[in-house]
Amino acid sequence: MLDDTLKTQLAAYLERVTLPIEMVASLGEDSTSVEMRDLLQTIQGLRSDKITLRTDGTDARKPSFTLQRAGTATSLRFAGLPLGHEFTSLVLALLWTGGHPPKVEPEVIEQIKALEGDFNFEVYMSLTCHNCPDVVQALSLMAILNPKIKTTVIEGGAFQDEVKVREIMAVPMVFLNGQMFGSGRMVLEEIVAKLDTGAAARDAEKLSAKAPYDVLMVGGGPAAAAAAVYAARKGIRTGIVAERFGGQVNDTLAIENYISVLETDGPKFAMGLEAHTRAYDVDIMNLQRAEQIVPASQPGGLIEVKLANGGSLKARTVILSTGARWRNVNVPGEQEYKNKGVAYCPHCDGPLYKGKRTAVIGGGNSGVEAAIDLAGIVAHVTLVEFADQLKADAVLVNKLKSLPNVSIHTNAQTTEITGLDGKVNGLRYKDRATGVEHLVELEGVFVQIGLVPNTEWLKGTVELSKFGEVVVDAKAHTNLPGVFAAGDCTTVPYKQIVIAAGDGAKAALSAFDYLIRTPAAV
């Protein structure tokens, strides 16, 4: 199952295991059980002095296996094969169970260990989902650290009946004690904060006590990271407050046009952004949502950024880099059937529609790429584009048109996403040339129609365009003294990672220029 290169790499990692581990497998007669047995035997054989394997498990989910540190009551189970994007999750679970310390802040570890109550987590994932590993790894670590937390990681493709009964149509999907807990990408601190009800108040107090910054980035994407690096290199006090470090990049799979990087993926790129930023003296405050900006009362005075948890931060200059999010199509049925057939990430959720009929709304690069990817998994893809022609690059359009299980409808206005018994069953669109309405019967709709700037919280303080973008000049100035903006949230055209990064650097240089030319108010 694992090639020689992977075995060599895994053996090197397992050398870090210092405490005995027991794996107990519950296996059936199916082919996946055979593969699981082979995988576990390989792992055990690579470190037989520290890892033991039993195959007499009696769990109802077959195939599955538990990881447990010998002599403890921890409960971590993998149901189905943790391969693909989840192989890293398996390796980390082995290391953490075997005593290797996680790269997590000590206060977070103590917060997890102190959680009181009985927490039985079930997380459904797919092997092609790039958002799933963060959730899987977070819940795995929590189960390893706290015996009151049980975590079962379930590969949806291996348990299709279960997925169908629970109507899981998007991953990652997390249940706590049998009830829906959350869906989509979540990081460890975010999950812990939802369980620890006093965390927000403690965070607010800590944040409000911080000394003012020379420059504060609001947002955590490429623009914010570039701005932080450029600012920190000037030797000034630099901070980043972000709802999710990496921003929209985390939801991008293939990146093939960032100059000097031939090919990478969004989560890996986001990790690189954070690593580069942390290499400098930058105070990163993640999982914090800004709600209001209060301008300085006089030139050189402090600008205040108020946060959703009640805390606030102050800075002499602020760089707004809050990015953008996927645009909703805003038709009947979209919100009602979100995660019940309406999805926004074909890479994450596409495998859940294997052999089914799907539609993609949007004919730009993201929409056409989504249709191409889905065509290799699903029975049929219907692409619906409002304009009279596809807007994607020619090479993508040609590829799409060559696929036998794709139908393309241009000049088509989506009017409704229909459903039955809580799940999507069709899409209505109107031919804009003739006015005739059509109904396409299907099971899934993927919305890919561009971005909306995350600027609602700035209305009434910062000048916005009619599209909600922050209005900036050539040097990233906004209408407020000391407030700059960069990236996808601004009026700068062409929403691309490389452009956002350049904008961030420019904004930082403009902020530094402002600081040296504007005396601090007393």
Side-chain angles (χ1 to χ4, degrees), residues 62-293:
K62 297 180 180 179
S64 68
F65 67 95
T66 59
L67 279 182
Q68 189 170 339
R69 185 180 300 167
T72 69
T74 58
S75 180
L76 171 60
R77 178 178 296 276
F78 288 89
L81 287 167
L83 297 176
H85 283 304
E86 294 302 339
F87 184 67
T88 300
S89 301
L90 171 60
V91 173
L92 288 172
L94 287 164
L95 294 181
W96 295 333
T97 304
H100 188 72
K103 293 181 179 179
V104 176
E105 294 295 330
E107 56 266 29
V108 177
I109 291 176
E110 292 306 312
Q111 193 178 3
I112 293 168
K113 290 180 177 179
L115 289 172
E116 293 289 342
D118 294 316
F119 306 100
N120 184 7
F121 285 103
E122 297 167 293
V123 50
Y124 290 83
M125 56 81 174
S126 74
L127 302 183
T128 58
C129 170
H130 59 278
N131 284 326
C132 293
D134 282 334
V135 180
V136 170
Q137 290 163 25
L139 292 174
S140 297
L141 179 60
M142 291 173 66
I144 292 167
L145 292 174
N146 188 333
K148 296 174 183 176
I149 300 173
K150 297 179 173 63
T151 296
T152 303
V153 180
I154 305 160
E155 197 274 293
F159 294 89
Q160 285 289 334
D161 290 344
E162 203 169 314
V163 165
K164 186 176 180 180
V165 168
R166 287 188 127 163
E167 297 183 345
I168 295 167
M169 305 183 78
V171 289
M173 185 77 72
V174 180
F175 291 84
L176 172 58
N177 298 333
Q179 301 298 314
M180 174 72 173
F181 176 78
S183 64
R185 185 178 182 271
M186 295 179 283
V187 297
L188 176 63
E189 293 82 358
E190 187 176 0
I191 295 171
V192 174
K194 289 182 73 171
L195 301 176
D196 184 355
T197 54
R202 293 195 301 272
D203 280 350
E205 186 176 353
K206 286 184 193 175
L207 292 168
S208 297
K210 288 180 178 287
Y213 297 90
D214 291 309
V215 59
L216 175 67
M217 270 56 67
V218 182
V229 168
Y230 268 71
R233 286 173 62 88
K234 296 294 186 183
I236 57 180
R237 178 166 162 75
T238 304
I240 289 181
V241 59
E243 191 167 357
R244 180 175 64 147
F245 201 97
Q248 188 76 6
V249 167
N250 288 299
D251 302 323
T252 303
L253 190 60
I255 299 173
E256 299 175 343
N257 56 353
Y258 194 88
I259 309 306
S260 84
V261 180
L262 290 179
E263 183 180 355
T264 185
D265 60 57
K268 188 183 298 182
F269 190 87
M271 288 174 61
L273 292 176
E274 185 169 357
H276 197 168
T277 304
R278 289 190 183 279
Y280 293 90
D281 188 17
V282 177
D283 188 4
I284 298 178
M285 297 156 280
N286 200 16
L287 303 178
Q288 302 296 337
R289 180 164 54 87
E291 282 199 335
Q292 185 183 356
I293 185 168

Side-chain angles (χ1 to χ4, degrees), residues 401-423:
K401 290 181 177 179
S402 73
L403 301 175
N405 61 335
V406 174
S407 300
I408 302 171
H409 301 284
T410 56
N411 216 19
Q413 179 181 357
T414 302
T415 57
E416 183 183 6
I417 298 171
T418 63
L420 182 67
D421 297 331
K423 294 184 289 185

